[in-house]
Amino acid sequence: MSEKQMTMPQLGESVTEGTISQWLVSAGDTVKKYDPIAEVTTDKVNAEIPSSFEGKIIKLHASEGDTLPVGEPICSIEIAGNEATGEAETTTEAAESRQKTKQSMKKRYSPAVLRLAQEHDLDLEKITGSGRDGRITRKDVARFLEAEPAQASENLNPAAGMQPAASAGGYAGAVAGQAAAPEAKHSAIKSEAGDRVIPLTGVRRAIAANMLRSKHEIPHAWTMIEVDVTNLVNYRNQVKNAFLKKEGHKLTYLPFFMKAIVAALKEFPRMNSTWAGDKIIEKRAVNLSLAVASEDALYVPVIKNADERSVKGLAFAVDELAARVRENRMSPDDMQGGTFTVNNTGSFGSIQSQPIINHPQAAILSIESIVKRPVVVNNMIAIRDMVNLCISIDHRVLDGLITGRFLARIKELLENVNPENTPIY
Amino acid sequence: MSVRSYIEAITMALDEEMDRDQNVFVLGEDVGKRGGVFQATKGLYEKYGELRVMDTPLAESAIAGVGIGASLYGLRPVAEMQFSDFMLPAANQIISEAAKMRYRSNNDWSAPLTIRAPFGGGVHGGLYHSQSMEAIFANIPGLKIVIPSTPYDAKGLLKASIRDNDPVLFFEHKRAYRLLKGEVPETDYVVPLGKADVKREGTDVTVITYGLMVHHVLNAAQRLAEQGISTHVLDLRTIYPLDKESIISAAQKTGKVLLVTEDTKEGSVLSEVAAIIAENCLFELDAPIKRVAAPDAPAMPYAGPLEQAFMVKPEQIEQAIQDLAEF
């Protein structure tokens, strides 16, 4: 018999920590190798952690909702067989018991340490304790302040610590760096008798951190156009039954809109860019982030190289992402690398919305409901299928003029949709 | 400047003050011809005569009472209690008369009396010659209690006590008398009362102590320095009223405080020092305030091994400092 530790895996390149969103086993359970033992949330993504060993779960080292750094033990598994010698066993045990007490003293802060942490707005988690069993001493804090004034000031302003390179794995970075920010701001709010207190899930925390960060950092500007999509509605009605029969997928309006947006993005690359502090980076790839809601959370999976896809290809990609969100199969990779976000608010009946930009992108566009409205055509009143397109832009990167041209181009493409210029395949 | 023992420094102080001020005289058991049981008043009888170096009967209340009376007449008596253990018969005179004289007379009278008393254990003195009496008198406003830890301080503090216009209890450690030697200037200097003294600068652990224990603590600090532990040592010197400012700043220096006394633990002077730190330094503290003291047993045993077990030992202090440093 020997004891093995399961540790928090690295889920994605820039991920430094993970939150146990759900335990799938409890102490005393027997697991086979590769059996899922826990669901972990990192980057707005739930991943299942498979067991690396076969054996009996002895102890869970974290509770649901706990956020642990990558590599930190999450549970201990007792393994049958004698792969470890008696001596090695005692060493492991000793090391482990040391580690346990170490963990317990690491968070026992003296008044002096707490005061210093508060005065300098320090994250004590970042300081290594040299005291007994890993306790952080007053001297440790003093040394930390002396040695790393940069690190200390980073904590004063969490946003300043984020690298502009976060564009690659932006969300992961945002989650790791800022998850605490919204909590801290609202710590003073108290619940009253009868209120229901809902603990934050990792996903909720990540959403809060990202939204806050985007609103804090990005000067948002907003505009809206209305588009006559009667042609599109007619075209789609013509082909939708055949498509369903042939492909086994429903053909919605969304892929047509995406097709037009992607085409416009290719013509206006500035819309497909990111603010990088001292420069603007126009992205070559057109990776469309798509806001997809689940029951109590919002995910923004990415359709990579959307410009290379046909209407059918986009339709399939949207269905696949929606299925993954529903079934909780998102991988961190699915969420990364987006360059522009499309938000299908029309699906729940909205006719106008003011979306928050998906940091670090430069713009987000929402497609509202298509509604029949009386409009003036050739000095006559006609009943047309109308839709509003709303866009929020990063005003550091984009101005009204280019945004207006971009929207006008989308409008033009959508209003003139026909089978010739917009084939399904 | 020459190297003198602790007791020689005491004798020097008495000699210098008697020479300087005609009003200064000493009284006590065997202080005259005999020169005192520890020889603290050696040579004074020959130099100043029996009227200024006065042998008394075995009656401590009388020694204190005569001293108080003489002080009211403008003299500056230095009364010797042969052992501090025998001060208790004089406690009424000291506490109810001397300490309250200025207050009771609305500042018209004062009792500039110094009472010298050898104290402390580790000299094979048994129950009645080993006690630490300071805590008994350390909550009597109107008194000052002084305990020097070096020959230099002993001379300077005794001279300051004699010149002070109110009663001072001056405790001298018996073991220190001939154990401690140091440079003592022959010049006329005083060490101010009411001021603690940093005997060693350090950054890891603060030790606050007094009396013979200062010597043990400094030795421990010296050894620990070789292991990279830096000890800050504050010598209280005046243990009543306490030098709060120095105590607070010493505690704040490291946030880890060890208090050392030879007295029994509960209700010792250290308890008050700990309270001052707790009241003032909460947000500077990085560890619990720790005390090293004698066990709460009625008296120092006579048997050698038991006496050794009772006394606070240098290794004990060293261990306690190390423990705090690692906390």
Side-chain angles (χ1 to χ4, degrees):
Chain A
M1 299 291 241
S2 67
E3 200 178 305
K4 294 279 183 187
Q5 301 273 0
M6 283 290 301
T7 56
M8 178 61 70
Q10 173 108 30
L11 296 165
E13 239 172 59
S14 56
V15 177
T16 58
E17 59 183 15
T19 304
I20 309 269
S21 50
Q22 200 186 345
W23 278 109
L24 304 173
V25 293
S26 37
D29 287 2
T30 310
V31 290
K32 291 208 183 76
K33 199 170 180 180
Y34 304 126
D35 276 0
I37 56 170
E39 272 184 21
V40 171
T41 312
T42 58
D43 160 26
K44 300 175 91 182
V45 155
N46 279 353
E48 282 180 355
I49 300 184
S51 175
S52 312
F53 314 102
E54 175 165 351
K56 194 169 123 189
I57 307 279
I58 308 171
K59 188 173 189 296
L60 307 181
H61 299 309
S63 334
E64 291 181 0
D66 285 0
T67 302
L68 301 173
V70 168
E72 195 81 354
I74 58 170
C75 71
S76 306
I77 301 179
E78 192 178 68
I79 300 167
N82 41 6
E83 41 193 283
T85 68
E87 206 179 319
E89 221 171 294
T90 40
T91 335
T92 332
E93 245 167 66
E96 206 187 307
S97 68
R98 234 190 340 258
Q99 194 162 23
K100 266 178 209 157
T101 41
K102 200 173 249 178
Q103 279 172 347
S104 72
M105 283 310 280
K106 167 91 166 125
K107 290 195 177 172
R108 294 266 171 144
Y109 304 131
S110 70
V113 166
L114 275 180
R115 178 184 55 80
L116 286 170
Q118 196 180 21
E119 277 175 8
H120 299 278
D121 209 355
L122 293 178
D123 179 2
L124 288 171
E125 297 283 335
K126 290 189 178 164
I127 302 176
T128 314
S130 71
R132 184 166 300 133
D133 301 328
R135 193 184 73 92
I136 296 169
T137 66
R138 198 178 86 170
K139 265 198 153 181
D140 291 332
V141 180
R143 261 194 297 267
F144 180 83
L145 284 171
E146 228 171 81
E148 320 253 358
Q151 228 169 318
S153 65
E154 173 190 328
N155 288 310
L156 277 173
N157 178 10
M162 303 301 305
Q163 328 88 316
S167 53
Y171 276 176
V175 175
Q178 289 208 305
E183 279 174 306
K185 286 257 149 63
H186 298 288
S187 57
I189 295 174
K190 294 203 171 68
S191 59
E192 287 165 23
D195 294 354
R196 195 159 73 95
V197 177
I198 297 138
L200 291 181
T201 61
V203 173
R204 200 71 246 165
R205 228 180 265 275
I207 292 171
N210 289 325
M211 293 301 177
L212 189 71
R213 176 162 188 227
S214 181
K215 270 288 192 185
H216 273 176
E217 282 182 31
I218 301 177
H220 282 62
W222 181 87
T223 187
M224 179 177 89
I225 55 160
E226 56 174 3
V227 181
D228 180 343
V229 289
T230 314
N231 289 344
L232 171 59
V233 170
N234 292 338
Y235 176 34
R236 183 239 175 195
N237 284 343
Q238 273 170 36
V239 296
K240 67 175 185 186
N241 288 335
F243 188 85
L244 180 61
K245 205 181 274 176
K246 193 169 162 194
E247 306 292 346
H249 283 259
K250 276 188 181 165
L251 183 62
T252 64
Y253 294 109
L254 184 58
F256 292 97
F257 282 105
M258 289 165 80
K259 188 77 188 158
I261 291 164
V262 167
L265 282 174
K266 294 294 276 186
E267 290 173 41
F268 298 90
R270 183 57 59 87
M271 302 300 297
N272 193 52
S273 65
T274 190
W275 177 259
D278 54 350
K279 53 187 174 284
I280 293 167
I281 300 168
E282 287 182 356
K283 307 297 285 183
R284 192 156 63 107
V286 178
N287 296 336
L288 223 48
S289 298
L290 184 66
V292 179
S294 75
E295 203 45 52
D296 57 356
L298 177 70
Y299 297 89
V300 197
V302 177
I303 300 170
K304 299 254 164 70
N305 301 316
D307 52 333
E308 294 169 8
R309 289 178 184 261
S310 61
V311 173
K312 177 201 149 184
L314 289 168
F316 276 44
V318 169
D319 274 9
E320 169 62 19
L321 289 179
R324 284 197 193 191
V325 167
R326 263 198 317 276
E327 293 157 19
N328 241 338
R329 286 191 288 120
M330 305 290 292
S331 76
D333 211 34
D334 288 334
M335 315 288 280
Q336 286 177 14
T339 59
F340 185 93
T341 299
V342 173
N343 191 11
N344 190 19
T345 44
S347 63
F348 37 81
S350 163
I351 53 157
Q352 215 180 59
S353 65
Q354 229 175 344
I356 296 174
I357 294 168
N358 186 358
H359 190 282
Q361 298 169 12
I364 180 169
L365 186 146
S366 39
I367 303 158
E368 307 295 338
S369 291
I370 298 173
V371 289
K372 286 197 184 297
R373 284 207 282 125
V375 292
V376 176
V377 180
N378 295 333
N379 284 330
M380 287 181 291
I381 291 178
I383 295 172
R384 304 292 289 177
D385 291 294
M386 302 300 292
V387 69
N388 291 333
L389 300 183
C390 303
I391 189 165
S392 294
I393 55 165
D394 182 343
H395 219 322
R396 294 172 303 183
V397 180
L398 300 166
D399 300 319
L401 182 70
I402 185 168
T403 309
R405 284 184 184 154
F406 172 71
L407 290 175
R409 179 63 182 144
I410 294 172
K411 180 182 169 84
E412 188 188 349
L413 288 167
L414 288 173
E415 290 188 344
N416 296 304
V417 161
N418 61 44
E420 282 72 49
N421 63 17
T422 314
I424 304 295
Y425 298 101
Chain B
M1 190 90 109
S2 55
V3 172
R4 301 292 178 111
S5 67
Y6 188 94
I7 195 163
E8 284 168 346
I10 302 277
T11 312
M12 269 173 89
L14 290 171
D15 189 5
E16 283 178 26
E17 288 307 293
M18 290 178 82
D19 186 50
R20 190 187 64 85
D21 182 352
Q22 290 296 308
N23 290 322
V24 176
F25 74 101
V26 299
L27 73 164
E29 297 158 8
D30 299 325
V31 298
K33 263 194 167 145
R34 182 81 211 279
V37 287
F38 293 100
Q39 303 286 290
T41 50
K42 190 181 173 187
L44 298 181
Y45 178 84
E46 289 76 18
K47 191 166 175 186
Y48 300 104
E50 60 179 2
L51 289 179
R52 290 185 67 198
V53 185
M54 201 182 291
D55 275 325
T56 64
L58 285 175
E60 282 77 11
S61 64
I63 297 171
V66 167
I68 293 166
S71 73
L72 295 178
Y73 270 88
L75 300 178
R76 289 191 177 263
V78 182
E80 180 182 304
M81 300 285 159
Q82 201 164 73
F83 289 89
S84 71
D85 309 65
F86 304 131
M87 273 175 89
L88 292 180
N92 182 60
Q93 289 296 329
I94 296 168
I95 293 171
S96 296
E97 305 298 341
K100 290 168 178 56
M101 188 61 68
R102 185 181 289 281
Y103 186 86
R104 181 165 72 126
S105 68
N106 196 25
N107 216 20
D108 287 341
W109 299 83
S110 68
L113 161 74
T114 301
I115 299 178
R116 291 179 41 247
F119 83 107
V123 292
H124 209 45
L127 276 65
Y128 297 112
H129 297 82
S130 304
Q131 296 179 73
S132 296
M133 305 300 288
E134 65 272 18
I136 290 174
F137 296 97
N139 77 332
I140 308 297
L143 283 184
K144 294 188 184 76
I145 306 177
V146 175
I147 304 185
S149 69
T150 67
Y152 178 93
D153 283 355
K155 181 182 164 189
L157 285 168
L158 182 52
K159 285 163 70 87
S161 300
I162 292 169
R163 294 180 197 183
D164 194 78
N165 289 326
D166 289 293
V168 176
L169 301 187
F170 193 90
F171 288 106
E172 302 157 7
H173 200 288
K174 294 191 283 286
R175 184 116 197 280
Y177 273 155
R178 290 180 171 80
L179 175 73
L180 302 186
K181 296 188 171 64
E183 297 280 348
V184 179
E186 267 134 40
T187 53
D188 178 27
Y189 69 92
V190 292
V191 171
L193 305 185
K195 289 270 175 251
D197 184 39
V198 175
K199 286 283 194 280
R200 184 186 174 103
E201 291 277 353
T203 57
D204 287 319
V205 176
T206 297
V207 183
I208 302 178
T209 185
Y210 60 93
L212 181 64
M213 291 299 131
V214 173
H215 174 68
H216 291 341
V217 169
L218 288 172
N219 284 342
Q222 187 65 41
R223 287 191 294 274
L224 287 165
E226 290 157 23
Q227 299 171 36
I229 295 171
S230 163
T231 312
H232 191 78
V233 182
L234 184 74
D235 174 10
L236 291 171
R237 294 203 297 205
T238 296
I239 59 143
Y240 191 84
L242 286 164
D243 179 359
K244 296 179 182 63
E245 211 175 295
S246 297
I247 291 169
I248 291 166
S249 69
Q252 286 173 336
K253 179 100 192 275
T254 68
K256 292 176 171 183
V257 184
L258 177 70
L259 308 176
V260 183
T261 182
E262 180 186 325
D263 196 0
T264 51
K265 191 171 188 177
E266 190 170 332
S268 73
V269 170
L270 296 187
S271 306
E272 184 60 27
V273 176
I276 290 168
I277 297 170
E279 276 181 343
N280 293 283
C281 307
L282 177 66
F283 294 109
E284 304 290 341
L285 287 182
D286 198 31
I289 302 166
K290 290 288 189 183
R291 289 180 290 169
V292 171
D296 289 315
M300 181 89 58
Y302 181 70
L306 288 178
E307 183 185 42
Q308 277 311 302
F310 190 97
M311 284 292 288
V312 169
K313 287 167 285 298
E315 310 81 68
Q316 235 177 311
I317 297 170
E318 193 174 328
Q319 180 56 45
I321 296 174
Q322 193 164 2
D323 206 52
L324 266 182
E326 287 165 7
F327 180 79

